[in-house]
């Protein structure tokens, strides 16, 4: 096997080895990650690692075998291919097993890669982490300690090819700052998180992350429980992003096929307030998780999931699309080269509204601004939609923020939550996850307190 240094060349030459009646997929990755933590004006930890590897999938007569390796030398590649073939022989037959085939959608050109991150010095990255801690400590006199002050970046190249004609590659760089500040007043201590996200370190904002963390920590000082009741809530963008991610998880084709989606039989029906439009769009270069291709090498695309409250589509990779008799949506994801593709959301976003969080709050007589939630994943039943989760935030009284609140529980169902959204904020915030955040006002939520 003769090969140059291109990951795409590597995977193409692997799939060219397919025998008659055999389909092959090869997925190769080269990634460098750097993570730096500052503590008390020193570097507490610094890790920088480069990982590369390949995953090879072989499908023959409905049987599927997989193997991976952390080396891309010729001998290892051939051994890994043979191991995948051997594993294929012992697999169960699945009539829908197969690799992706070209679907005629061309990947869009996205500006996601900053080449000079390769030469950006470790010293400058350390300076950012130390500067973040210093700025967070000085953001407010009540900030007495910094629990974490981290700089993180990743440079990732990946390539996918199949013997059925898929051949694609992508490159992305990502970096973010995250700080958790601890505020103290008398006998009370509260924490707050702040982020800044960019493609290159020079575009990160230390001030944005530090001031956000300070505000979120200090405004919870002195928090008390509230009496139980039914209230309107406003989800902070950090919390709303997590809820949107969970909604996206209920709309994947695998959950639908298994009958484990809340919305299995709801296609083309109203499932949310008419002001809700939710898309999954990995072609948006502002999204932290943007990419021109999915984990099977197919072009990503803008997928309208909910439009004006109506469920319009589910997410499908090539396997779930075949099983469902649907067209794929370029929605394959995978944790890395050590695993096979599955279906999932890439970059979820609600259509923003026109008003700020403060303007939304001004219309609420009795409510709660939810700043933090506890047990979000364990407290939500994705089959029934029921949820009951712990929350912290700020009481809303007569259109203004009042006293801080702790140790309350908010409960409803995901179905009712979507239908009871009364406003979407304009404060779009991109976070290091697969969903954007913005404020969400929701009516008639049960709050349990004292």
């Amino acid at each position: 096997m003769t090969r140059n240094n291109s990951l795409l060349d590597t995977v193409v030459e692997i799939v060219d080895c397919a025998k008659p009646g055999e389909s092959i997929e090869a997925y190769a990755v080269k990634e460098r990650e750097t993570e730096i933590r500052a503590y008390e004006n020193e570097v507490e930890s610094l890790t920088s690692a480069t990982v590369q590897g390949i995953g090879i999938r072989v499908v023959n007569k409905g049987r599927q075998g997989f193997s991976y390796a952390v080396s891309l030398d010729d001998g290892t590649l051939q051994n890994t291919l043979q191991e995948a073939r051997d594993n294929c022989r012992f697999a169960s037959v699945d009539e829908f097993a197969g690799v992706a085939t070209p679907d005629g959608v061309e990947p869009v050109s996205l500006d996601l890669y900053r080449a000079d991150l390769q030469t950006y010095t470790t010293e400058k990255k350390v300076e950012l982490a130390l500067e973040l801690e210093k700025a967070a400590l000085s953001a407010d006199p009540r900030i007495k300690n910094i629990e974490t002050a981290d700089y993180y970046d990743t440079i990732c190249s990946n390539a996918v090819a199949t013997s059925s004609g898929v051949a694609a590659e992508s490159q992305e760089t990502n970096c973010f700052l995250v700080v958790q500040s601890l505020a103290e007043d008398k006998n009370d201590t509260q924490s707050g998180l702040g982020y800044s996200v960019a493609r290159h370190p020079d575009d990160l904002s230390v001030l944005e992350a530090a001031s956000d963390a300070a505000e979120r920590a200090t405004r919870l000082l002195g928090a008390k429980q509230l009496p139980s009741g039914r209230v309107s809530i406003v989800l902070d963008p950090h919390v709303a992003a997590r809820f949107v991610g969970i909604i996206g998880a209920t709309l994947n084709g695998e959950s639908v096929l298994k009958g484990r989606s809340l919305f299995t039989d709801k296609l083309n029906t109203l499932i949310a307030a008419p002001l809700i439009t939710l898309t999954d769009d990995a072609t948006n270069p502002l999204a932290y998780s943007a990419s021109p291709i999915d984990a099977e090498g197919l072009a990503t695309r803008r997928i309208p999931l909910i439009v004006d409250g109506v469920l319009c589509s589910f997410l499908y990779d090539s396997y779930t699309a075949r099983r469902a008799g649907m067209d794929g949506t370029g929605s394959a994801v995978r944790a890395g080269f050590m695993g096979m593709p599955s279906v999932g959301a890439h970059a979820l976003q609600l259509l923003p509204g026109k008003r700020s969080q403060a303007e939304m709050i001004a219309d609420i007589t009795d409510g709660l601004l939810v700043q933090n939630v506890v047990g979000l994943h364990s407290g939500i039943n994705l089959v029934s939609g029921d949820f009951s989760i712990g929350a912290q935030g700020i009481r809303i009284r007569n259109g203004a923020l009042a006293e801080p609140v702790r140790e309350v529980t908010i409960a409803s169902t995901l179905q009712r939550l979507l239908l009871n959204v009364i406003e979407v904020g304009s404060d779009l915030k991109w976070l290091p996850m697969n969903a954007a955040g913005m404020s969400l006002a929701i009516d008639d939520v049960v709050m349990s307190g004292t």
Side-chain angles (χ1 to χ4, degrees):
M1 184 179 294
T2 303
R3 190 180 74 253
N4 63 27
N5 293 326
S6 164
L7 285 180
L8 185 59
D9 289 336
T10 298
V11 294
V12 166
E13 291 185 14
I14 286 289
V15 303
D16 283 346
C17 296
K19 298 176 180 179
E22 180 182 73
S23 298
I24 299 178
E25 173 199 77
Y27 176 82
V29 174
K30 184 173 183 180
E31 184 172 25
R32 192 190 78 185
E33 292 184 346
T34 301
E35 185 171 0
I36 301 166
R37 172 162 294 180
Y39 184 69
E40 295 186 346
N41 202 34
E42 299 285 344
V43 176
E44 182 181 63
S45 63
L46 190 159
T47 59
S48 183
T50 298
V51 177
Q52 68 176 16
I54 191 167
I56 300 175
R57 187 159 55 114
V58 174
V59 182
N60 196 337
K61 297 179 181 179
R63 300 180 189 273
Q64 181 170 263
F66 177 78
S67 186
Y68 70 87
V70 296
S71 172
L72 300 180
D73 67 79
D74 291 344
T76 300
L77 292 174
Q78 287 300 322
N79 290 338
T80 305
L81 174 58
Q82 186 56 51
E83 186 173 346
R85 283 173 168 149
D86 292 341
N87 293 337
C88 182
R89 293 167 48 210
F90 300 103
S92 301
V93 174
D94 182 346
E95 63 178 304
F96 300 107
V99 301
T101 58
D103 60 4
V105 180
E106 290 297 320
V108 299
S109 178
L110 298 176
D111 182 23
L112 307 178
Y113 183 72
R114 305 293 181 266
D116 61 343
L117 182 55
Q118 295 274 8
T119 56
Y120 201 86
T121 66
T122 300
E123 289 76 15
K124 293 173 72 173
K125 298 176 186 181
V126 167
E127 287 175 8
L128 274 172
L130 294 173
E131 183 184 350
L132 175 63
E133 185 193 30
K134 182 179 179 180
L137 277 170
S138 62
D140 189 286
R142 292 166 292 177
I143 301 297
K144 303 300 183 182
N145 197 8
I146 304 301
E147 189 166 334
T148 57
D150 294 354
Y151 167 89
Y152 173 86
D153 71 39
T154 179
I155 304 169
C156 183
S157 301
N158 62 78
V160 192
T162 69
S163 54
S164 57
V166 172
E169 61 184 339
S170 68
Q171 287 184 305
E172 297 95 31
T173 56
N174 277 305
C175 26
F176 66 86
L177 297 171
V178 58
V179 59
Q180 184 166 11
S181 298
L182 298 178
E184 296 180 12
D185 185 29
K186 298 178 181 178
N187 295 323
D188 191 21
T189 301
Q190 298 289 344
S191 66
L193 277 172
Y195 294 93
S196 178
V197 176
R199 297 283 168 194
H200 189 275
D202 288 345
D203 298 322
L204 293 170
S205 173
V206 168
L207 181 61
E208 176 187 349
S211 59
D212 192 22
E215 180 184 4
R216 294 169 66 83
T218 56
R219 67 183 182 183
L220 289 177
L221 287 168
K224 298 179 180 180
Q225 282 188 297
L226 286 180
S228 300
R230 304 185 80 93
V231 298
S232 297
I233 64 172
V234 176
L235 299 182
D236 175 272
H238 291 195
V239 178
R242 296 171 66 188
F243 266 100
V244 169
I246 288 171
I247 296 298
T250 71
L251 300 179
N252 79 61
E254 183 177 1
S255 296
V256 173
L257 288 165
K258 292 179 177 179
R260 298 182 62 83
S261 170
L262 312 174
F263 307 110
T264 298
D265 301 319
K266 302 296 184 180
L267 200 62
N268 299 319
T269 63
L270 190 77
I271 67 164
L275 54 84
I276 291 291
T277 291
L278 175 65
T279 60
D280 186 30
D281 186 8
T283 68
N284 184 345
L286 297 177
Y288 181 81
S289 48
S291 177
I293 60 172
D294 75 352
E296 293 183 300
L298 298 179
T300 56
R301 60 212 74 179
R302 183 180 183 274
I303 307 158
L305 296 170
I306 303 172
V307 177
D308 299 332
V310 175
L311 178 60
C312 296
S313 178
F314 295 112
L315 300 172
Y316 294 101
D317 61 358
S318 62
Y319 175 77
T320 53
R322 280 191 293 270
R323 282 192 60 186
M326 304 291 289
D327 293 330
T329 58
S331 300
V333 297
R334 62 174 110 198
F337 64 86
M338 297 181 185
M340 292 190 291
S342 59
V343 59
H346 286 104
L348 296 160
Q349 183 192 329
L350 290 169
L351 181 67
K354 297 183 178 180
R355 298 203 301 167
S356 68
Q357 184 183 99
E359 291 171 314
M360 296 164 64
I361 288 171
D363 288 343
I364 297 175
T365 302
D366 182 26
L368 178 69
L369 170 62
V370 180
Q371 181 172 297
N372 298 325
V373 291
V374 179
L376 186 61
H377 290 279
S378 60
I380 295 181
N381 186 321
L382 291 180
V383 178
S384 69
D386 296 334
F387 71 85
S388 179
I389 56 178
Q392 287 180 300
I394 313 292
R395 180 74 178 268
I396 301 171
R397 186 183 292 112
N398 298 323
L401 293 179
E403 67 272 18
V405 176
R406 63 177 175 84
E407 294 178 5
V408 297
T409 299
I410 55 174
S412 185
T413 67
L414 292 175
Q415 301 95 315
R416 188 179 300 127
L417 182 140
L418 283 171
L419 289 167
N420 287 357
V421 173
I422 54 178
E423 189 166 6
V424 181
S426 60
D427 50 346
L428 176 67
K429 186 175 183 66
W430 292 103
L431 300 166
M433 58 181 71
N434 72 342
M438 60 192 70
S439 296
L440 279 180
I442 303 161
D443 200 18
D444 194 30
V445 177
V446 174
M447 180 180 68
S448 299
T450 57

